Amino acid sequence: MTRTVEHFINGKRVAGTGGRTANITDPSRGEIVATVALASADETRAAIAAAEAAFPAWAATPASKRVQVMFAFREALIKNLDELAELLSQEHGKTIPDAKGEIARGIEVVEFACGIPTQLKGEYSEAVAVGVDTYSIRQPLGVVAGITPFNFPAMVPLWMYPVSLACGNTFILKPSEKDPSVTVRIAELLTEAGLPDGVFNIVQGDKEAVDVLLTDPRIEAISFVGSTQIGHYIYTKGCENGKRVQALCGAKNHLVVMPDADMDQVVDALIGSAYGSAGERCMAISVAVPVGEDTADELVKRLAPRIRQLKVAPYTDPDSDMGPVITKESLDRINKFIDEGLEQGANLVVDGRDLKLQGYEDGFFLGGCLFDNVTKDMSIYKQEIFGPVLSVLRAKSHEEAVQLINDHEYGNGTAIFTRDGDAARDFASRVKIGMVGINVPIPVPVAYHSFGGWKRSLFGDHHIHGAEGVRFNTRLKTMTTRWPSGIRSGAEFNFQRSSDV
Ligand code: NAD
């Protein structure tokens, strides 16, 4: 009998009662390895009730005590890293070093959360008027929900809940139904680390559960990470229902290669950032923009053999550079983009479609693909492919490259490779993108900075984790105080002010 991934409510695994399930497939073999319960509206409401009940005591727990749980949680994640990476890779398909890397980035957010008391420090102004003082504090919101994608099943949830919990909120996570097992194991570690029951809960599910989270008045805020189409829905519906929403969405990340760039460094950077994790990263580089024909010719000449040498293999092969994509639908979608690229006149320099792995014929593998002579009007340029496909779009000048990026609907990440400080500075200043790398291909901010894109890559006002994460997860309250010994001025009919004008 296949295993069923359960919910995690009130500190323990809870079997689904709604009757609906989804299949979890091993992407390297194309075989169903487990099922996951899909929560009904009532089951989702029960999880919200648990989080609501746990909120007052958790919010009243001093921040310095709350973070003791985070310190122990960090130790537990490190101790169980091998097990967690294995669980993650089995369902996602990414290589073990890649899985460990994403958990490590998640641990960094836990480390940031360990220092939350410093972030929650308020502001105090003595004597804003005679005998009157003002202070501001940040308080937790209540029950916060997180809805997360398949591509980073450990790291993206960890972007959200360590900060939210350390701020004093209780939390409901709705992970991707494609690879949810690792989230439940991590929830157990969090409970073992001392988190009170009900403070962190997981509801497995799909649109039915999400729609309850979007509409139930007990949910105060929603962090979403996923595609732009769903993110826009989450943002508009969540806001309509009075919730604070941050929705981090899809991407099309350009890497500009200036003629003076170190070409060895560029080629290494593109191989890792375009094909790592089979291109299933929101910060993957999917467009290379060499400036000038000579730069472009040299780039394509050097890239092509490196792409052909990529070792595409299941995560169980320690030499694998990249694994399969997540599902058959995803593979079909990527193949359709490749067909469209060819129909629309792009030049497929490296075609990864013929790849067949012995013993894994039913797996969702695709070799690295490289398109040259891509133009702005092609669907492979306009849309997010989310697979191991890199497009080369040749630009005549630095100016044209900047314009191209600024005209694109997405604004998550970008990079420029150059030795010219002026070109890099101008690029960083004018480009309409949330995260910019200078000779760094995947400029993912560390945990104590904040992660987020611009344009249709993020709906809402707050980036995630770091100081922005603290602002998203708290509400500002400002007190103005006077004590009886302060100067009495009789009844006041005007606003208080500090000046005499
Ligand atoms: P997705 O949008 O399909 O799913 C994300 C979440 O939404 C999942 O939990 C899913 O169950 C839920 N969902 C799906 N359909 C829904 C519906 N109709 N109603 C309500 N909820 C629904 O995304 P995905 O395929 O899991 O992940 C890939 C996408 O995530 C890519 O577009 C990628 O760029 C994006 N992503 C963005 C970032 C970022 O930080 N900007 C990070 C990682 C991934």
Side-chain angles (χ1 to χ4, degrees):
M1 220 177 74
T2 48
R3 169 176 70 90
T4 300
V5 183
E6 298 156 313
H7 311 297
F8 188 89
I9 299 170
N10 256 330
K12 56 180 181 306
R13 292 177 187 247
V14 174
T17 53
R20 289 192 313 125
T21 56
N23 292 331
I24 301 172
T25 308
D26 167 2
S28 11
R29 295 185 185 277
E31 287 167 3
I32 296 167
V33 287
T35 61
V36 56
L38 298 176
S40 65
D42 281 345
E43 288 174 290
T44 310
R45 286 190 202 101
I48 299 173
E52 191 193 28
F55 175 69
W58 181 244
T61 304
S64 55
K65 277 242 169 353
R66 291 197 298 254
V67 301
Q68 294 308 315
V69 177
M70 291 298 148
F71 280 105
F73 181 42
R74 173 184 180 273
E75 296 309 305
L77 288 169
I78 292 169
K79 194 166 152 227
N80 293 279
L81 186 64
D82 289 345
E83 180 204 344
L84 294 172
E86 177 77 24
L87 203 53
L88 193 162
S89 292
Q90 271 169 13
E91 293 179 359
H92 179 284
K94 65 175 70 174
T95 66
I96 292 285
D98 199 14
K100 286 189 177 171
E102 79 154 279
I103 298 167
R105 289 306 292 249
I107 291 172
E108 290 173 11
V109 183
V110 178
E111 288 165 354
F112 170 74
C114 289
I116 283 286
T118 317
Q119 299 284 327
L120 293 178
K121 274 199 310 193
E123 294 180 327
Y124 194 101
S125 299
E126 187 189 28
V128 293
V130 178
V132 178
D133 306 323
T134 290
Y135 66 97
S136 297
I137 57 172
R138 300 205 75 96
Q139 292 189 316
L141 304 173
V143 185
V144 176
I147 301 160
T148 52
F150 80 85
N151 67 326
F152 286 109
M155 181 186 77
V156 167
L158 285 166
W159 280 355
M160 301 174 177
Y161 62 81
V163 176
S164 193
L165 298 178
C167 286
N169 300 291
T170 54
F171 202 91
I172 297 183
L173 174 67
K174 206 303 283 169
S176 170
E177 59 276 43
K178 295 183 180 118
D179 48 13
S181 292
V182 71
T183 61
V184 182
R185 183 69 193 112
I186 292 178
E188 284 179 335
L189 297 178
L190 193 45
T191 300
E192 285 161 30
L195 194 76
D197 293 350
V199 173
F200 178 69
N201 308 277
I202 298 176
V203 167
Q204 309 291 357
D206 56 5
K207 184 169 165 52
E208 184 166 341
V210 170
D211 281 346
V212 174
L213 298 174
L214 292 174
T215 51
D216 191 295
R218 294 169 295 179
I219 299 286
E220 294 288 341
I222 297 173
S223 289
F224 169 88
V225 176
S227 63
T228 294
Q229 188 201 351
I230 306 299
H232 188 256
Y233 168 74
I234 303 276
Y235 182 72
T236 48
K237 188 145 183 169
C239 290
E240 256 168 46
N241 284 279
K243 299 178 196 320
R244 185 180 288 186
V245 186
Q246 58 178 180
L248 285 78
C249 298
K252 196 81 185 174
N253 305 316
H254 300 61
L255 186 150
V256 176
V257 186
M258 295 299 287
D260 67 346
D262 178 327
M263 205 46 99
D264 291 334
Q265 198 184 31
V266 168
V267 171
D268 283 342
L270 281 170
I271 291 293
S273 61
Y275 302 101
S277 205
E280 292 175 321
R281 289 179 179 146
C282 68
M283 288 292 274
I285 295 293
S286 48
V287 187
V289 187
V291 171
E293 289 297 325
D294 290 349
T295 317
D297 291 343
E298 179 70 11
L299 178 69
V300 172
K301 192 177 100 195
R302 295 233 217 153
L303 264 179
R306 291 283 301 274
I307 298 167
R308 292 191 190 98
Q309 282 161 19
L310 284 170
K311 169 119 193 207
V312 185
Y315 81 93
T316 43
D317 182 337
D319 296 328
S320 172
D321 292 320
M322 67 182 205
V325 297
I326 187 75
T327 55
K328 173 81 169 52
E329 294 72 48
S330 184
L331 183 62
D332 291 347
R333 193 172 161 273
I334 300 166
N335 280 327
K336 186 161 167 282
F337 271 119
I338 296 171
D339 292 343
E340 285 174 12
L342 287 166
E343 281 157 25
Q344 291 165 17
N347 175 17
L348 187 58
V349 180
V350 183
D351 184 351
R353 290 174 299 174
D354 296 335
L355 182 92
K356 279 275 169 273
L357 294 181
Q358 214 181 355
Y360 296 92
E361 288 80 1
D362 294 330
F364 314 133
F365 290 97
L366 176 67
C369 298
L370 178 68
F371 273 115
D372 193 6
N373 304 109
V374 174
T375 56
K376 273 171 78 167
D377 51 328
M378 294 179 184
S379 57
I380 52 169
Y381 177 69
K382 290 199 282 199
Q383 294 182 46
E384 181 181 43
I385 300 176
F386 223 55
V389 183
L390 177 66
S391 295
V392 174
L393 200 150
R394 297 168 173 237
K396 290 191 178 56
S397 63
H398 171 85
E399 190 59 37
E400 188 187 333
V402 172
Q403 195 59 46
L404 191 68
I405 297 168
N406 287 349
D407 287 347
H408 205 286
E409 68 168 323
Y410 292 121
N412 217 37
T414 190
I416 186 169
F417 275 64
T418 181
R419 291 182 166 94
D420 178 343
D422 278 338
R425 187 172 183 278
D426 178 74
F427 182 80
S429 170
R430 287 199 294 134
V431 81
K432 293 178 184 166
I433 300 287
M435 294 168 283
V436 181
I438 311 287
N439 298 316
V440 173
I442 308 186
V444 175
V446 291
Y448 46 95
H449 283 258
S450 300
F451 182 108
W454 286 16
K455 300 188 274 185
R456 287 177 70 77
S457 292
L458 189 149
F459 302 107
D461 298 324
H462 297 91
H463 290 202
I464 212 161
H465 65 63
E468 285 274 287
V470 175
R471 278 180 216 117
F472 179 79
N473 280 288
T474 54
R475 207 172 261 134
L476 190 68
K477 184 183 277 181
T478 304
M479 267 63 68
T480 303
T481 68
R482 173 156 58 197
W483 296 98
S485 64
I487 291 176
R488 285 169 195 273
S489 53
E492 286 168 357
F493 297 97
N494 301 320
F495 276 126
Q496 292 170 18
R497 45 196 184 171
S498 23
S499 69
D500 289 331
V501 291

